[in-house]
Structures are given as C-alpha cells and as structure tokens.
Amino acid sequence: MKLLNLLTLSLATSASCFTVSNNMASSLTSASSLQMSSEASEPFDFMINMPPKNSGLAAQMKVMPLIDSSEIIEVRYNIPFGLNVEPKDGLAVCTQDGAGGEKVGDILRFTSQYTMGLPRGNGLATTAASFSGAIGWQCSLFDVAKANSWEEVIEALVSNVPGRTDEVVLIFERKVQE
C-alpha cells in the first residue's frame, strides 16, 4: 500500500503565527522579534496555549532542535484547516507556504491531537470520574519527529475535528538564514 505523501485538509479562514528561538525564550514572541541560536545543543523553551481556544490550559515545552540555527514557529488554524507536508528523510517537511506562516522547508515538530483518556485534574469531580471509568477526548501534543509511521502523523492531524476542538496547533522548526 502506497503511503500518502501529501496531506491536504480543507483550508481554514484564519490563522496566527508566532516564533521562538532556541535562546530559551520564556514565552512566544511575534514574528517581528526573532531570536536565533547557532547551537543545536541549546533547547527551545516555550509555552503553548492548548486547544480549544477557551480551554485555559497551557503546556510548557522544552525541545531539542533538530537543526542548527533554527527557530520555532507556532501556527494556529481554525478547524477545518489546510496543510501541505510530506515525509522527507524521516521528517514531516512543509512543501508549500501556508496562510498561517509556515514556509517551504519548515519541519513539523508537533501537532495538537485528540485521543481517548480518563479525565485530568486534581478536583473531586475528576477523581470521581476516573474511578467510575468515565473517558473522554483529551488534547495533547503529538511529537511528529518521533512518529513510527507517516500514518501516525496523519492520524494525529485529522484528530483535530469540530466535535473536539475549534483550532489546531502546529509547531514547526525553521532554519534561520545566516
């Protein structure tokens, strides 16, 4: 069976883009204030607001870069969304510039994904729901670079559907031109 080499979902109407360099920035900054690092040994350190938009949840990320002199690009698309990536040398590489700010050659590092799981939290309601076996859709960030197959990447991307969320979060790594 031939692998799907190009993923194209329906195009969204709005998107936002932010960048972070691997200079250990504490939060995302706008694309107008880029920072760079010449060492792939310095981790990216940043915070991501998790979908859906009104969840109030955030994830602290500390990620080793895959390439020297790179930056992190956060792209958010409303659902449904469009994306052009394909497998290349074991990575998911952007093949066409997108409305959200992704560029040809960007490496897709993470995507929001939805999987079934027990409720999270420390409250009485979540504890009771866990003991009763209540399960529901849980949002997490899928590490695309550690995927075992291209089908896993596609499955994570297409799990972002209107019944579960109102947006998808895509984290790209981009080589900084010196």
Side-chain angles (χ1 to χ4, degrees):
M1 176 194 236
K2 184 177 176 183
L3 289 177
L4 177 63
N5 288 334
L6 183 62
L7 173 65
T8 305
L9 304 171
S10 351
L11 186 59
T13 55
S14 70
S16 61
C17 176
F18 300 92
T19 62
V20 170
S21 73
N22 44 351
N23 278 351
M24 299 179 66
S26 62
S27 65
L28 293 175
T29 58
S30 71
S32 60
S33 58
L34 298 178
Q35 299 173 19
M36 297 174 250
S37 174
S38 59
E39 306 260 340
S41 61
E42 294 180 46
F44 295 112
D45 190 0
F46 56 98
M47 187 79 94
I48 296 293
N49 292 323
M50 297 294 289
K53 292 175 186 168
N54 62 352
S55 74
L57 299 175
Q60 179 68 42
M61 305 285 293
K62 192 167 193 169
V63 180
M64 293 304 293
L66 296 176
I67 54 179
D68 289 337
S69 300
S70 61
E71 62 189 354
I72 288 291
I73 309 295
E74 177 189 359
V75 176
R76 292 177 177 269
Y77 280 115
N78 289 331
I79 302 293
F81 67 101
L83 178 65
N84 292 291
V85 295
E86 66 180 45
K88 182 178 179 184
D89 299 325
L91 300 170
V93 180
C94 185
T95 60
Q96 184 176 347
D97 291 357
E102 67 270 26
K103 304 264 185 223
V104 171
D106 287 354
I107 300 167
L108 180 61
R109 295 294 310 273
F110 293 90
T111 180
S112 54
Q113 77 166 351
Y114 283 82
T115 55
M116 293 299 285
L118 292 171
R120 299 182 207 159
N122 296 326
L124 181 60
T126 56
T127 302
S130 293
F131 279 113
S132 70
I135 61 171
W137 290 107
Q138 305 291 325
C139 183
S140 61
L141 291 171
F142 178 77
D143 189 340
V144 175
K146 293 183 180 176
N148 293 316
S149 68
W150 184 242
E151 285 80 14
E152 284 183 5
V153 176
I154 294 169
E155 189 176 302
L157 286 164
V158 300
S159 72
N160 295 276
V161 296
R164 299 174 195 151
T165 187
D166 55 359
E167 68 177 349
V168 62
V169 175
L170 305 165
I171 308 297
F172 291 91
E173 184 172 348
R174 178 180 296 160
K175 176 94 174 138
V176 175
Q177 301 303 320
E178 297 175 13

